[in-house]
Amino acid sequence: MSSNYRKKHYCCPHCCSDPCCCHLKGPRGFRGPAGVTGPTGLTGRVGPAGATGPTGATGATGDIGPTGPTGPVPFSAFRARGINTQTITAFDQVIFPNELYDLAGEYDPTQSIFVATEDGVYQFTTNLAITAQQDSFFVINLIVDDNLSDPQSSFLFQFYEPPSIQQVQSFVLTSSMFLTTGRNVRVRVDSFTTGVFQVVGFFSYFEGARFPSPT
């Protein structure tokens, strides 16, 4: 094929056909519309966990919650005995160093004093074994806060007449009283006897307990 034919029919330089059958490359056309999105592929494997990030700032303090119900009040009861015979001279506290039990830790055997740890109504009893060589007048006291004039304090007036054969006689004082936390109770004997007047410790005791009440 002559070069004039190629030039006339815009054929490529290497064409040998007549008529020319070469596919001529025209100018690039416009971009066609996007095709339909294909289906989602399979989920790939989970990658390794990343490093832990820094701790965030502390949040604001929340509101205070409601007060919970009041817990049970512990039981209160004690009992203590004397040990040795104690001579009473005038106005003497009676000693009960042998503590038998103390459920709430309120009795101090070194001082023979009960100290309330809860408000409430308490009942106390003291039994004193008395011996004397002559007629004796005395008063047994359950004293609150070492104050005989306190309205919660109790006392018992007694007269001792010795029998023909010297022996021990027991005298009992029981009293209930309302105590607030921190108030204390002790036993005291006021003797108005000039001779020998004794409390036999082994047969004497001091005990108390709190009633189960809302206060």
Side-chain angles (χ1 to χ4, degrees), residues 9-17 19-27:
H9 292 88
Y10 303 100
C11 190
C12 60
H14 304 289
C15 180
C16 297
S17 299
C20 179
C21 60
C22 294
H23 296 284
L24 300 178
K25 184 178 181 180

Side-chain angles (χ1 to χ4, degrees), residues 76 78 106 113-124 142-146 150-154 175-186 206 208-211 213 215:
S76 170
F78 79 97
E106 296 168 296
I113 295 176
F114 173 87
V115 181
T117 59
E118 296 284 344
D119 295 355
V121 177
Y122 295 78
Q123 179 168 293
F124 298 95
L142 284 168
I143 301 181
V144 176
D145 291 342
D146 202 23
D150 189 288
Q152 300 288 347
S153 296
S154 300
S175 179
S176 61
M177 57 189 72
F178 178 79
L179 299 178
T180 54
T181 302
R183 304 203 75 186
N184 64 75
V185 179
R186 69 192 73 196
F206 177 31
R210 184 181 62 246
F211 287 101
S213 63
T215 55

Side-chain angles (χ1 to χ4, degrees), residues 8-211:
K8 183 179 179 181
H9 292 88
Y10 303 100
C11 190
C12 60
H14 304 289
C15 180
C16 297
S17 299
D18 187 10
C20 179
C21 60
C22 294
H23 296 284
L24 300 178
K25 184 178 181 180
R28 177 177 294 183
F30 298 104
R31 182 187 295 272
V36 179
T37 302
T40 303
L42 299 177
T43 301
R45 290 182 300 173
V46 177
T52 302
T55 302
T58 302
T61 302
D63 296 334
I64 297 175
T67 302
T70 302
V73 177
F75 291 104
S76 170
F78 79 97
R79 182 181 174 92
R81 282 188 174 276
I83 297 178
N84 301 317
T85 297
Q86 179 180 351
T87 299
I88 304 298
T89 58
F91 306 98
D92 296 335
Q93 180 183 347
V94 183
I95 304 302
F96 303 93
N98 183 18
E99 180 186 295
L100 302 181
Y101 59 84
D102 181 15
L103 301 185
E106 296 168 296
Y107 180 74
D108 182 355
T110 64
Q111 300 186 64
S112 299
I113 295 176
F114 173 87
V115 181
T117 59
E118 296 284 344
D119 295 355
V121 177
Y122 295 78
Q123 179 168 293
F124 298 95
T125 297
T126 183
N127 176 83
L128 300 183
I130 303 296
T131 181
Q133 297 177 350
Q134 65 287 319
D135 293 348
S136 304
F137 175 69
F138 62 95
V139 183
I140 300 174
N141 305 284
L142 284 168
I143 301 181
V144 176
D145 291 342
D146 202 23
N147 182 8
L148 190 58
S149 63
D150 189 288
Q152 300 288 347
S153 296
S154 300
F155 44 86
L156 175 68
F157 293 91
Q158 288 291 335
F159 181 77
Y160 176 89
E161 183 177 4
S164 56
I165 300 177
Q166 184 176 5
Q167 62 184 16
V168 174
Q169 296 184 24
S170 291
F171 299 88
V172 179
L173 173 59
T174 297
S175 179
S176 61
M177 57 189 72
F178 178 79
L179 299 178
T180 54
T181 302
R183 304 203 75 186
N184 64 75
V185 179
R186 69 192 73 196
V187 178
R188 194 180 81 186
V189 171
D190 300 341
S191 173
F192 302 93
T193 302
T194 57
V196 177
F197 182 86
Q198 295 177 319
V199 175
V200 182
F202 181 78
F203 299 108
S204 302
Y205 62 83
F206 177 31
E207 64 183 13
R210 184 181 62 246
F211 287 101

